[in-house]
Amino acid sequence: MKRPIWTLAAVTAVMLFTAVPANAAPQPDAVPAASTEPDPVGPPLLDATADGGTVRVNVVTRHREGLDSASEAGETLVSYDSLPFVTLRVDAAGLQQLDTDPNVVSVSEDVPVAPALDESTLAIGSDKTFVAGKTGAGTTVAVLDTGVAVNHPFLSGRVTGEACFSVTDPNVGSTSLCPDGTGEQVGPGSADAEAGPCATMGAVCSHGTHVAGIAAGNGTGVDGAPRRGVAPDANVLAIQVFSKFTTDDRCGTGKSPCVLSFTSSQVKALEKVLALKRAGTDIVAANMSLGSGRWTNACFTDARKAIIDNLLAEGVATVVAAGNNGYADAVNAPGCVPSALTVGSTTDDDQLSSFTNRGALLDLLAPGTGIVSSVPGGGFASKDGTSMAAPPRHRALAVLRQTFPEKSVTELEALLLESGEALTYTSAVTPRIQLDAAALGTGGGGTEPDTDPKLHEFSNWTPVTIPDSGIVQSTVQVEDSGQAPSTLQVYVDIHHEWTGDLEIDLLAPDGSAYPLRRVHWSDNVKAIHEVYTVNASAEDAKGTWTLRVNDMSAGSGGEIVGWGLRFPWFHNWTETPIADLGTVELPIVVGSQVPGNAPTGVRVYADVHHAWRGDLKLDLVAPDGRVYPLRAPAPKDSGDTIHEWYVVNASASPAKGTWKLRVQDTQAESTGQVSGWTMTF
């Protein structure tokens, strides 16, 4: 997603698509401070230890340097290689110590959660991509689940990497599912669902094998197998992240034994994916078909956010099942993490599955009802759930990576969104994956579609020294014409010995100043990594934009590491013929880059060629079906080209969803084409 794409600071407006600016180095060892933050320790944790007991918690600090002081609050259970993160067992006194530690950003309980094909893969068009040779060859997808039956014939020896992170903790009744019985195992056999404790648990450990088969199964020559998964030539990195529980109080009445996954195991697994990616493995996505909770807004404080952000910065999408609670306006965590890509479930006739979570935090839909795939023992079974819907998405990314190796993972995500079949329901509009359209073009003819909703980004990553008690400026040149948007985003990366004395402004090409940050004398952090949103709709976009930083007091120095502008200009440049007396509609899918309703000044640019342009009527159609007139027919206008900007008040309509430029030829005897259009919020 969520998911365009800059890494968001905690104070950024709720957005589902994120990534770091070009040339910006990821920050795995630091978490930026929000301008206002709640206390790290909430009442439920304090209540859990009020009787003298202990609790297992995940602690996020601002920097790795803060881990030493945080770790003094309790017993270290899990440590991490690159993150400002530690898992502890603490009592009430330890929680109080963490709550007052200035290095601590958040403290959350390490709670274990449960795991959340032929017809389905055909529904998203993977039969066409297979015929076209787009099978995901050369790419790898990580499956964080209950392990995989690595010798299953449906997977044909394509499980090329394995690891296991599984908690044994007598205090909560969990034991490791790693085949060697340890809490961490890496290498061949370490995630084999047919080895170790999983081998004795039957269907309980079948989930990961089913997910892997949906994604990468190949039924060629396999009796009783589905035809194939979405990317039948892609490799699988199998990572076991579940632990075994044997009591009904954890599993539910009559449901023990069961498998549940700790957040700490998930973070360790994602950290392993990051390390392999940096070591050269072409991992395009990590699948997490698990989760819990009810989130209607983005969860910026989730303990998994930092590692999911860092993976996206390295070109790995984290694909998460939305959950199976049937929530009409919410998803599970970690699907609520802005940089995660959250998937809900449909039936094969494009109806929402009754069980699927949905709403504004949902990025994509995919078939997830009655899905037949591989299970341990060499067989096949049918399962329902958003767990079954998530694999098509990350394997779709593998197919797109093979098709467009030059594109970033965020650009591939944009292709999936733009080409998806928009499904409208009560709380939102969400595209359903249409892989053939994304990989082969709308007509399936094997050409790259021209549609590209990627947002324009302009940045300057030349470091500039900030004088002690003085003003410094850094500039960015914008070449695109037209009005600046009402949601212009400004990313700032500044390191300074004392950021509390910094004042930051954005200067438009005409010299107008837009305040971004005023002095915060009590702010003692040493880095600013934030995204600010500015209403710059009064400005022309083209020209020199300036970031001005004023050090308001003496005694500290630093530098502007870099900064950038992001213009949310959405595009569709698919050339579309206009038949005589015909009507055409060109869609643009807007995700959660612009939360809430559309602004009062939506700007639409149309590029239309027609033998008699006066015949044409142009309208903007919003996701909720409202029609906003742009241009009325003008019978005496004999021109042959429309290159015009229109401004409409679309504030009655939601921003997220599918917008359409509708062009209607109202008179006979002439034809033409729509070259493309853009929309600016």
Side-chain angles (χ1 to χ4, degrees), residues 589-624:
V589 177
V590 176
S592 294
Q593 302 94 331
V594 186
N597 278 12
T600 57
V602 175
R603 289 167 172 79
V604 176
Y605 176 76
D607 185 347
V608 183
H609 298 257
H610 195 268
W612 191 279
R613 71 180 187 183
D615 292 352
L616 299 181
K617 181 179 186 293
L618 274 63
D619 298 299
L620 177 67
V621 183
D624 60 359

Side-chain angles (χ1 to χ4, degrees), residues 463-509:
V464 179
T465 299
I466 302 171
D468 191 9
S469 186
I471 296 175
V472 69
Q473 297 182 343
S474 178
T475 61
V476 164
Q477 187 70 27
V478 175
E479 300 296 337
D480 289 338
S481 300
Q483 292 294 109
S486 60
T487 53
L488 176 64
Q489 290 156 13
V490 187
Y491 177 81
V492 177
D493 185 345
I494 292 176
H495 293 192
H496 198 265
E497 293 174 10
W498 186 274
T499 59
D501 60 4
L502 297 184
E503 187 172 89
I504 307 174
D505 297 288
L506 175 69
L507 304 183

